[in-house]
């Protein structure tokens, strides 16, 4: 075995910066892209209350982007200023960024992507009857089983625990192999792991190869070729209007090339001339740029498009709402021809050209909510991930219709108990799985009336009000330390509301109009967010169906271009 050769590479003098045309391009491109990315992130943060962004868990996704972009910057400045550092220090930085920082960013990013699948699955409950959707899955025996306690944790907490455990293992492997490999520190390490005789160029190539890089490669393979395809398969059938599916699948697909191309560029000699200007890690950073496009820039465009749609709906409502009721009533006699399963039951002809933008009015929305909200409820839950809004509106309407006509204490308490169900199911940040997006004043008003009775009837909160979307499906009570308390179970009030009645003090502010402000606010959100998408979706489905039938009549076989177009449309 050759003896390790230390003096040449370890004593190699530092070089001046390389600001030739390629180096200048890298620096300019790095600065420009970073500036645009930061502007996009600031824009998303300023618009974090937008429905497109609010449900995504923006903090976790932007944190992942910052992790990944820090490594991206390191790669862009390697060509112009990489040799200004001592060679061993430069490769140490590359090794630890590749072994720890990059996997942490990818893991955090995919942890946030799993939120998409979780929210999509949870929203399906709003397409079911209330009695079915309120049943929660839980795990008993949490005091004696650590596995059961883990299952009872909030979903986001569980995912972060799994990612954290994986990162601890990755850090231990990365640090342990660095300590064992004497090529990075010739004074200690396992025998036979140092640099061997050869030219300076050969030794620099050897620094970027070897068994110490295997944990990083394995981690990337797991995320890009095992986890990512599973997420693509699970997300493929989801058709949301928020662009969340596009982001998830786009990021997973754009990362598939990274690890194979990184390994090929390092071990195939033909890539030597390319590696002089385009480092092997740049193949990974191409996927990082795609992550940033799908996670930052496309959502920015979606927020702008969403704002245009909201203004259009608001303007149409303001223009036609006072005069559209007669027109809408007249249109109810127009039936559907070969209506789809989404269209059945609707009493407004959404393809009636005479209605025009009168469809985007509060009267049109009220008409559908009163006559048959089922299709809109299904669309909002499965496509818009806002099923709680329509469910709240229909629940409040049913509650108001059953308000007792006479002043009777027993009937009033029964009405208050049913109102308490609405509060815990849709409004309370401590109990609702998807709390409504209410103003702080409206929320405070309802909390003053219902929060204390809710705690008396239900026990402690199901979720932390600071993180209302971090729900985990646990029906058990938690104490202030977050531990599961088996002495007192959290009660699903809706399951027992018909059998028990609130017997405590009822606020004097409680009356039939207690939900009016919240109802008006949510209805306006639906009008300017979900309703325009729903109307456009129905119209597009009918036009697409008519076009397909016409195409089948004209010719029996579709062309290759039409098939590709159909595939792209299904992906979007």
């Amino acid at each position: 075995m050759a003896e390790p050769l230390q003096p040449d590479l370890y004593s190699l003098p530092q070089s001046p910066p390389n600001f030739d045309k390629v180096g200048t391009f890298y620096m300019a491109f790095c600065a420009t892209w970073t500036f645009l990315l930061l502007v996009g992130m600031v824009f998303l943060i300023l618009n974090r209350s937008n429905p497109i962004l609010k449900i995504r868990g923006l903090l976790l996704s932007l944190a992942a982007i910052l992790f990944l972009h820090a490594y991206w910057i390191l790669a862009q400045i390697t060509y112009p200023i990489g040799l200004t550092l001592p060679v061993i220090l430069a490769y140490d930085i590359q090794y630890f960024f590749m072994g720890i920082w990059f996997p942490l960013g990818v893991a955090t990013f995919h942890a946030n992507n799993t939120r998409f699948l979780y929210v999509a699955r949870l929203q399906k409950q709003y397409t079911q009857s209330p009695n079915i959707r309120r049943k929660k899955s839980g795990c008993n025996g949490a005091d004696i089983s650590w596995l059961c306690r883990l299952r009872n944790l909030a979903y986001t907490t569980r995912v972060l625990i799994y990612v954290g455990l994986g990162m601890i293992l990755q850090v231990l492997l990365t640090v342990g192999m660095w300590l064992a490999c004497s090529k990075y520190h010739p004074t200690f390490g396992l025998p036979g792991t140092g640099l061997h005789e050869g030219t300076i160029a050969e030794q620099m190539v050897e620094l970027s190869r070897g068994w110490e890089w295997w944990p990083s490669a394995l981690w990337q393979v797991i995320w890009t070729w095992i986890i990512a395809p599973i997420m693509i398969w699970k997300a493929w059938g989801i058709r949301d209007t928020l662009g969340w599916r596009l982001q998830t699948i786009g990021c997973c697909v754009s990362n598939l090339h990274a690890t194979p191309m990184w390994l090929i560029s390092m071990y195939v000699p033909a890539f030597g001339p390319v590696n002089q200007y385009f480092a092997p890690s740049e193949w990974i950073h191409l996927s990082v740029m795609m992550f940033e496009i799908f996670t930052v820039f496309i959502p920015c465009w979606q927020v702008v498009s969403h704002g245009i749609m909201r203004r259009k709906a608001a303007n149409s409502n303001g223009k036609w709402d006072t005069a559209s009721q007669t027109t809408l009533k007249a249109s109810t006699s127009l039936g559907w021809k070969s209506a789809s399963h989404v269209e059945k039951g609707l009493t407004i002809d959404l393809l009636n050209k005479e209605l025009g933008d009168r469809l985007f009015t509060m009267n049109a929305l009220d008409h559908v909510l009163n006559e048959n909200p089922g299709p809109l409820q299904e669309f909002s839950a499965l496509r818009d991930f806002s099923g709680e809004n329509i469910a709240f509106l229909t629940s409040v309407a049913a509650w108001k219709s059953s308000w007792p006509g006479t002043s009777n204490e027993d009937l009033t308490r029964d009405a208050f108990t049913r109102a308490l169900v609405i509060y815990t199911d849709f409004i309370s940040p401590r109990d609702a799985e998807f709390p409504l997006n209410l103003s702080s004043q409206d929320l405070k008003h309802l909390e003053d009336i219902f929060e204390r009775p809710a705690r008396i009837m239900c026990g402690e909160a199901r979720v932390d009000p600071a993180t209302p979307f971090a729900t985990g499906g646990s029906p058990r009570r938690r104490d202030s330390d977050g531990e599961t308390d088996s002495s007192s179970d959290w009660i699903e009030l809706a399951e027992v509301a018909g059998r028990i009645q609130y017997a405590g003090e009822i606020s004097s502010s409680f009356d039939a109009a207690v939900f009016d402000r919240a109802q008006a606010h949510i209805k306006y959100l639906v009008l300017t967010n979900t309703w325009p998408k729903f109307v456009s979706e129905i119209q597009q489905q009918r036009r697409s169906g008519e076009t397909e039938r016409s195409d089948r009549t004209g010719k029996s076989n579709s062309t290759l271009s039409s098939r590709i177009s159909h595939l792209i449309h299904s992906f979007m």
Side-chain angles (χ1 to χ4, degrees):
M1 182 180 294
E3 291 296 326
L5 181 64
Q6 300 176 5
D8 292 340
L9 188 60
Y10 294 105
S11 59
L12 189 69
Q14 299 168 223
S15 302
N18 184 11
F19 289 122
D20 58 7
K21 292 183 178 179
V22 177
T24 303
F25 168 78
Y26 272 121
M27 294 298 292
F29 179 68
C30 179
T32 303
W33 186 265
T34 301
F35 173 76
L36 294 176
L37 181 68
L38 292 177
V39 170
M41 295 176 68
V42 171
F43 178 81
L44 294 182
I45 292 174
L46 293 177
N47 291 274
R48 60 188 179 275
S49 60
N50 188 288
I52 293 177
L53 304 177
K54 187 174 183 179
I55 199 171
R56 296 188 186 214
L58 195 61
L59 180 61
L60 193 59
S61 63
L62 294 186
I65 289 299
L66 289 177
F67 281 127
L68 296 173
H69 192 72
Y71 185 36
W72 182 88
I73 292 176
L74 179 67
Q76 308 315 307
I77 64 177
T78 296
Y79 180 89
I81 65 175
L83 293 179
T84 61
L85 298 175
V87 174
I88 300 300
L89 176 60
Y91 276 92
D92 282 341
I93 295 174
Q94 167 77 1
Y95 174 78
F96 282 106
F97 263 86
M98 176 72 85
I100 297 177
W101 200 259
F102 177 68
L104 178 60
V106 173
T108 306
F109 187 82
H110 281 298
N112 183 70
N113 281 343
T114 61
R115 180 184 176 87
F116 165 64
L117 302 177
Y118 174 70
V119 170
R121 175 172 58 85
L122 207 59
Q123 279 284 329
K124 289 182 179 179
Q125 66 178 305
Y126 294 113
T127 64
Q128 303 171 342
S129 65
N131 292 333
I132 296 177
R133 71 171 183 247
R134 287 183 180 117
K135 293 182 180 180
K136 311 295 177 186
S137 59
C139 179
N140 295 324
D143 292 334
I144 59 177
S145 170
W146 66 269
L147 182 60
C148 196
R149 297 183 67 179
L150 179 64
R151 289 178 58 190
N152 282 344
L153 290 175
Y155 174 81
T156 305
T157 304
R158 292 201 310 271
V159 171
L160 291 179
I161 287 177
Y162 298 147
V163 172
L165 292 175
M167 283 308 305
I168 290 175
L169 177 61
Q170 175 71 11
V171 170
L172 293 177
L173 287 174
T174 302
V175 175
M177 289 188 171
W178 182 84
L179 293 174
C181 190
S182 60
K183 68 171 68 173
Y184 300 104
H185 37 72
T187 58
F188 63 92
L190 296 177
T193 59
L195 291 174
H196 300 282
E197 292 184 358
T199 64
I200 295 295
E202 292 173 344
Q203 292 178 349
M204 293 182 68
V205 170
E206 186 179 351
L207 275 175
S208 61
R209 299 177 180 176
W211 52 270
E212 71 274 9
W213 294 89
W214 294 352
S216 179
L218 178 62
W219 182 265
Q220 294 178 51
V221 168
I222 291 175
W223 281 114
T224 59
W225 285 97
I226 298 179
I227 303 298
I230 292 175
M231 294 187 64
I232 293 174
W233 176 69
K234 290 184 175 181
W236 193 260
I238 302 173
R239 298 290 191 270
D240 69 296
T241 63
L242 307 177
W244 205 355
R245 169 183 178 267
L246 175 65
Q247 171 186 317
T248 301
I249 295 180
C251 291
C252 290
V253 171
S254 64
N255 197 34
L256 294 176
H257 77 281
T259 303
M261 290 304 302
W262 171 60
L263 294 174
I264 291 172
S265 62
M266 284 200 305
Y267 289 97
V268 175
F271 272 81
V274 177
N275 294 340
Q276 294 180 9
Y277 302 97
F278 195 79
S281 64
E282 289 285 7
W283 296 102
I284 296 176
H285 297 301
L286 287 177
S287 64
V288 172
M289 293 182 64
M290 296 304 298
F291 283 4
E292 294 169 346
I293 291 173
F294 281 109
T295 308
V296 177
F297 296 119
I298 290 182
C300 286
W301 171 76
Q302 290 173 331
V303 169
V304 173
S305 300
H306 181 258
I308 296 173
M309 181 196 70
R310 293 188 63 179
R311 286 193 293 271
K312 177 183 176 182
N315 293 337
S316 298
N317 182 62
K319 178 180 179 181
W320 297 108
D321 200 36
T322 57
S324 62
Q325 186 64 37
T326 303
T327 305
L328 288 172
K329 287 182 178 180
S331 70
T332 59
S333 60
L334 300 176
W336 287 105
K337 296 182 179 179
S338 62
S340 68
H341 72 283
V342 177
E343 300 163 349
K344 290 179 180 178
L346 294 176
T347 56
I348 298 177
D349 190 348
L350 300 182
L351 291 180
N352 185 2
K353 295 181 180 180
E354 295 181 358
L355 292 179
D357 56 0
R358 289 181 177 87
L359 291 171
F360 302 99
T361 61
M362 189 66 74
N363 282 333
L365 174 59
D366 283 335
H367 190 86
V368 170
L369 288 174
N370 294 332
E371 295 295 330
N372 186 0
L376 180 59
Q377 175 70 76
E378 181 177 346
F379 175 86
S380 65
L382 301 182
R383 300 292 308 277
D384 205 44
F385 296 161
S386 59
E388 68 278 2
N389 290 336
I390 307 300
F392 168 75
L393 293 177
T394 55
S395 296
V396 169
W399 176 79
K400 283 185 175 181
S401 65
S402 63
W403 180 264
T406 59
S407 179
N408 180 285
E409 181 179 358
D410 186 64
L411 295 177
T412 300
R413 291 192 177 278
D414 180 67
F416 184 85
T417 303
R418 287 184 287 108
L420 203 56
V421 172
I422 296 176
Y423 173 79
T424 56
D425 277 358
F426 302 107
I427 297 173
S428 172
R430 297 169 176 82
D431 300 287
E433 288 172 323
F434 294 95
L436 298 176
N437 186 14
L438 299 177
S439 66
S440 57
Q441 293 180 347
D442 291 344
L443 179 60
K444 180 65 169 56
H445 169 69
L446 293 173
E447 283 182 332
D448 290 341
I449 298 174
F450 294 110
E451 184 57 31
R452 187 172 179 274
R455 299 285 67 82
I456 294 175
M457 297 287 287
C458 301
E460 292 302 314
R462 172 164 50 193
V463 297
D464 184 351
T467 56
F469 286 108
T471 58
S474 170
R476 303 183 65 81
R477 174 178 176 174
R478 300 182 186 278
D479 58 26
S480 59
D481 297 326
E483 299 294 326
T484 304
D485 180 10
S486 61
S487 62
S488 179
D489 289 344
W490 183 87
I491 296 176
E492 189 75 60
L493 180 58
E495 295 180 357
V496 297
R499 303 190 301 270
I500 65 175
Q501 192 179 84
Y502 177 69
E505 181 181 358
I506 297 178
S507 172
S508 58
S509 301
F510 175 73
D511 54 22
V514 66
F515 292 119
D516 279 2
R517 286 194 298 179
Q519 184 183 23
H521 177 74
I522 296 301
K523 189 178 292 186
Y524 187 78
L525 287 181
V526 172
L527 174 69
T528 56
N529 290 278
T530 306
W531 178 246
K533 301 175 188 176
F534 175 71
V535 173
S536 301
E537 175 77 10
I538 297 298
Q539 294 174 338
Q540 181 62 35
Q541 285 182 1
R542 289 298 305 275
R543 294 191 183 100
S544 298
E546 293 174 355
T547 302
E548 290 177 2
R549 288 192 295 271
S550 176
D551 290 342
R552 285 196 298 268
T553 303
K555 55 182 179 178
S556 58
N557 296 323
S558 61
T559 63
L560 177 62
S561 60
S562 65
R563 292 178 182 178
I564 294 175
S565 177
H566 178 72
L567 177 62
I568 295 175
H569 177 73
S570 66
F571 180 78
M572 296 295 289

